[in-house]
Amino acid sequence: MQLIVILLLVVAVALRFRNKGKAGERNVAYRLHGLPDEYKVINNLQLSFGNWTSQIDHVVVSPYGVFVIETKNYTGIITGGENSAEWTKNMYGNKYSFHNPVFQNESHVKAIRKCLGDYGSLRIIPIIAFSNEADVRVKLESKMVVYFSQLKRTIRAYNEVCIPDAQVTEIYNKLLQANVEDRSFKREHVKEAKRQQVKTEQKIRDGICPRCGAELVERHGQYGRFWGCSNYPKCKFTVN
C-alpha cells in the first residue's frame, strides 16, 4: 500500500511540472501571437534526423532573423553561468539542479541549421525565456536570457533586414513540412534526451568536455575548485 502511495505521489509531481511547463509555453505562444504579420510563429516544432530528435518550444521566422526560443516556466531564484553544466533553482531554501538551457537551445539551433541547410549563414538568435515569477541571476557573456514580458520587445529590437520576404515564407514552410506530428515523437524524444544526457555525464566522468571533446582540467577560481575545458578560451565549459 505504501509503495502505491509513493508511486501516485511521483506521478502527481511529474504531471504538475508537465502541466506547468505547458502553461508557460501557452503563455509565450499568446505573447508571440501579438507580433506583426511579418513575423511567422511556429509553436512546438518537432524535428527528427534518424536517431536524433529535437523538440523546440517556439520558432519565429522574420526578415530580421530566425528566433529560437526555449521556455522555462520556473519560479524561485535561478543561478548559474552561461558555460556551466547545470543551473540551480532555489525555492524557499530548497535547491534543485537542472540542465543548462543555453546548451539545450544550442542543440535546437543546430537542428534548425540542419533542417535549413540550403540557407548557409542564416542569422539565428537563440533566446531563453523565463517566467516573470522567477528571479534570474545567471552570469551571461553573450547568450540572451529574458523574462516572458520582455520577449516581444527583445525580438523587435532586431530591425536590420537580413532575410528577403520570399525567403521568410520559404523557411517557414520548410520548417512546417519538417515538423513531425506523430504522437510517438514525444516518447522517442524523451528517450533520446535521456540517452544524450547519459553520454554527457559519462564524458564528464571520463574527463572529456561534452561540448568540444577536449580534456577537462582542474582549475581554481574565486569560488573554489572547478573543472574547465582545456580548450579555453575557445570553449568555456565548466562543471563544479
Side-chain angles (χ1 to χ4, degrees), residues 9 34 59 68 139 166 186 188 221 225:
L9 286 172
V59 178
V68 180
K139 299 175 183 178
K186 182 68 175 179
E188 292 304 317
R225 188 186 74 163

Coordinates of all heavy atoms in Angstrom, one line a residue, residues 9 34 59 68 139 166 186 188 221 225:
L9 N 2.3 9.7 -5.7 CA 2.9 11.0 -5.5 C 3.9 11.4 -6.5 O 3.9 12.5 -7.0 CB 3.5 11.0 -4.1 CG 2.6 11.0 -2.9 CD1 3.4 10.8 -1.6 CD2 1.9 12.3 -2.8
G34 N 1.0 38.2 -30.8 CA 0.8 39.6 -30.9 C 1.8 40.3 -31.8 O 1.7 41.5 -31.9
V59 N 9.6 28.9 -32.5 CA 10.4 29.4 -33.6 C 9.7 30.6 -34.2 O 8.5 30.5 -34.6 CB 10.8 28.4 -34.6 CG1 11.7 29.0 -35.7 CG2 11.5 27.2 -34.0
V68 N 14.9 31.4 -32.0 CA 14.7 30.0 -31.4 C 14.6 30.2 -29.9 O 15.5 30.6 -29.2 CB 15.9 29.1 -31.7 CG1 15.6 27.7 -31.1 CG2 16.1 29.0 -33.3
K139 N 25.0 34.3 -14.8 CA 26.1 35.1 -15.3 C 26.2 34.8 -16.8 O 26.5 33.7 -17.2 CB 27.4 34.7 -14.6 CG 27.3 35.0 -13.1 CD 28.6 34.4 -12.4 CE 28.5 34.7 -10.9 NZ 29.7 34.1 -10.2
A166 N 10.5 36.7 -49.5 CA 10.2 35.4 -50.2 C 10.9 34.3 -49.4 O 10.3 33.2 -49.3 CB 10.7 35.5 -51.6
K186 N 7.0 12.4 -29.0 CA 7.4 12.9 -27.6 C 8.1 11.8 -26.8 O 9.1 12.0 -26.2 CB 6.1 13.3 -26.9 CG 6.3 13.9 -25.5 CD 7.1 15.2 -25.6 CE 7.2 15.8 -24.2 NZ 8.0 17.1 -24.2
E188 N 9.7 9.1 -28.0 CA 11.1 8.9 -28.5 C 12.0 10.0 -28.2 O 13.2 9.8 -27.9 CB 11.0 8.7 -30.0 CG 10.2 7.4 -30.4 CD 10.8 6.2 -29.8 OE1 12.1 6.1 -29.8 OE2 10.1 5.3 -29.3
G221 N 39.2 29.0 -8.9 CA 38.7 30.3 -9.1 C 38.3 31.0 -7.8 O 38.6 30.6 -6.7
R225 N 37.4 25.3 -6.2 CA 37.9 24.4 -7.3 C 36.7 24.1 -8.2 O 35.6 23.9 -7.8 CB 38.4 23.1 -6.6 CG 39.1 22.2 -7.6 CD 39.4 20.9 -7.0 NE 38.2 20.0 -6.8 CZ 38.3 18.7 -6.5 NH1 39.4 18.1 -6.4 NH2 37.2 18.1 -6.3

